[in-house]
Amino acid sequence: MSVKSPAPTRSAPQGAPRAPRRVGFSQRLSRWDVKLSPYLYISPFFIIFAITGLFPLIYTAFVSVYDWKLLGGQGDFIGLQNYTDVLGQATFWKSLRNTFSIFALSSVPQVLVAIVLAALLDQNLRAKTFWRMGVLLPYVVAPVAVGLIFGRMFADQSGLINSWLGAFGVDPIRWHVDPLASHVAIASMVNFRWTGYNTLIFLAAMQAVPRELYEAAIIDGAGRVRQFFSVTVPQIRATVIFVILTSTIGGLQIFDEPRVFDAQGRGGASQQWMTTTLYLYDVGWGTQRNLGRAAAVAWLLFIVVVIIGLANFAITNRISSAGTGRPSRRQRRAAARSSRRSA
């Protein structure tokens, strides 16, 4: 039985262009799916951010360059006149000073206490779930309720704090009159609400630290304090930077606590605890009723928050990098230049 060999196919001459291969629709669809799917997955965040964040920011800038009244609506284009008027008002600078004062008295102790509480909750405690949920309870309380409670506690005449101080022979403190005393009272309200929230963020980061590092530190003879500064803090460096940045942004935009600190909600008789956001509310919907100036205040506050946030990030990143022994970006660039010169 003879077997016929298949006829030899003619190969294309060397150097001849190959005919393009047709790509089916299903293959194109799969390629588009691989390329576009990641962007579609993250697109809801950017769409919501564009609607609720980016558009109001741009529209606020548009309003800030017009003579825009609360009752009269849009007026003539006046350029940067609203910014000049706001910067020329002494109340704006007083509100900015009050904002920085309350921010320093609240954010700094808040982060320090939160990281210490998280380190304690990270230990092997009994009923640790109860304690971990307990630190979050103040965050659940409504800001108005917190303001009413602390407003009664820090009352000038019959407040609980002054009663305790009187038991030790200390004269009553005028919490609603003295600027520094009012800032301390408002900062205590902020710390009461947000310390537990930041504690859980730090605790989640500490739970992700490998336990082998602590075992190695114990073998080397490190105590609890040494483990905290040499193992825990360097490992949660990114979380520390995140909490500091969010505390900075929130501290510079504080509104609820000073608003409900007294019955009038205008920052005190002489604006001794009026913050910038409270001043913005007063300009737009209070005494001046000028939305153009209020938009200018909003943009000035936005610029201040960005500047303070970037400075805070740079300082925190440098301190944390120095604490871990890692070379900084400037040192890495210098080492790269020296290596190129030697090569």
Side-chain angles (χ1 to χ4, degrees), residues 1 16 59 64 87 214 264 281 283 338:
M1 183 177 178
Y59 189 72
S64 66
L87 294 175
Y214 293 103
Q264 288 74 28
Y281 178 83
V283 170
S338 61

Side-chain angles (χ1 to χ4, degrees), residues 23-33:
V23 180
F25 177 74
S26 59
Q27 293 178 340
R28 291 182 181 178
L29 189 62
S30 63
R31 291 182 182 178
W32 293 342
D33 181 49

Side-chain angles (χ1 to χ4, degrees), residues 252-304:
L252 294 176
Q253 295 178 346
I254 182 173
F255 176 80
D256 296 336
E257 289 79 3
R259 173 71 176 172
V260 298
F261 188 56
D262 65 348
Q264 288 74 28
R266 296 187 57 186
S270 57
Q271 290 81 39
Q272 62 267 29
W273 70 79
M274 173 182 279
T275 59
T276 306
T277 53
L278 200 58
Y279 170 73
L280 186 154
Y281 178 83
D282 183 70
V283 170
W285 294 271
T287 57
Q288 302 184 29
R289 297 185 179 182
N290 192 321
L291 295 182
R293 291 180 184 175
V297 175
W299 257 91
L300 290 174
L301 180 61
F302 171 74
I303 294 172
V304 171

Side-chain angles (χ1 to χ4, degrees), residues 17-72:
R18 181 179 296 181
R21 184 179 178 183
R22 297 185 61 184
V23 180
F25 177 74
S26 59
Q27 293 178 340
R28 291 182 181 178
L29 189 62
S30 63
R31 291 182 182 178
W32 293 342
D33 181 49
V34 172
K35 293 181 179 180
L36 298 179
S37 292
Y39 299 98
L40 293 177
Y41 294 150
I42 64 175
S43 60
F45 166 76
F46 291 99
I47 294 174
I48 295 176
F49 172 75
I51 296 174
T52 62
L54 188 59
F55 171 73
L57 188 65
I58 297 175
Y59 189 72
T60 302
F62 171 76
V63 175
S64 66
V65 295
Y66 281 89
D67 184 15
W68 204 301
K69 303 296 183 180
L70 178 62
L71 300 179

Side-chain angles (χ1 to χ4, degrees), residues 54-296:
L54 188 59
F55 171 73
L57 188 65
I58 297 175
Y59 189 72
T60 302
F62 171 76
V63 175
S64 66
V65 295
Y66 281 89
D67 184 15
W68 204 301
K69 303 296 183 180
L70 178 62
L71 300 179
Q74 181 179 356
D76 298 331
F77 176 81
I78 58 176
L80 301 179
Q81 184 62 39
N82 286 324
Y83 295 89
T84 305
D85 295 339
V86 169
L87 294 175
Q89 295 181 2
T91 309
F92 169 75
W93 297 104
K94 182 184 291 187
S95 68
L96 200 61
R97 183 202 64 187
N98 296 336
T99 300
F100 278 105
S101 177
I102 297 174
F103 160 71
L105 293 172
S106 59
S107 296
V108 176
Q110 179 187 136
V111 174
L112 296 178
V113 174
I115 195 171
V116 172
L117 287 177
L120 295 176
L121 294 175
D122 193 34
Q123 306 301 320
N124 191 12
L125 302 175
R126 291 184 178 180
K128 54 185 177 182
T129 304
F130 169 77
W131 297 111
R132 292 173 181 177
M133 294 301 298
V135 298
L136 192 61
L137 288 179
Y139 176 74
V140 181
V141 181
V144 176
V146 175
L148 293 176
I149 294 172
F150 276 77
R152 299 298 182 270
M153 290 177 59
F154 288 98
D156 296 342
Q157 301 298 330
S158 60
L160 181 62
I161 303 299
N162 281 337
S163 299
W164 288 350
L165 294 177
F168 293 96
V170 180
D171 295 333
I173 299 176
R174 300 185 301 175
W175 299 105
H176 289 77
V177 177
D178 297 335
L180 182 59
S182 62
H183 296 176
V184 172
I186 295 174
S188 64
M189 298 165 57
V190 178
N191 293 331
F192 174 78
R193 287 196 63 225
W194 292 98
T195 300
Y197 176 82
N198 291 326
T199 299
L200 291 186
I201 295 178
F202 282 130
L203 180 60
M206 292 178 185
Q207 292 289 308
V209 177
R211 298 298 148 177
E212 294 82 4
L213 298 178
Y214 293 103
E215 295 175 0
I218 293 173
I219 294 174
D220 292 338
R224 293 293 179 88
V225 179
R226 185 65 177 176
Q227 294 176 29
F228 176 75
F229 286 103
S230 299
V231 178
T232 304
V233 175
Q235 290 295 319
I236 64 172
R237 179 175 63 93
T239 305
V240 171
I241 296 175
F242 169 77
V243 171
I244 291 177
L245 287 178
T246 53
S247 299
T248 301
I249 296 172
L252 294 176
Q253 295 178 346
I254 182 173
F255 176 80
D256 296 336
E257 289 79 3
R259 173 71 176 172
V260 298
F261 188 56
D262 65 348
Q264 288 74 28
R266 296 187 57 186
S270 57
Q271 290 81 39
Q272 62 267 29
W273 70 79
M274 173 182 279
T275 59
T276 306
T277 53
L278 200 58
Y279 170 73
L280 186 154
Y281 178 83
D282 183 70
V283 170
W285 294 271
T287 57
Q288 302 184 29
R289 297 185 179 182
N290 192 321
L291 295 182
R293 291 180 184 175

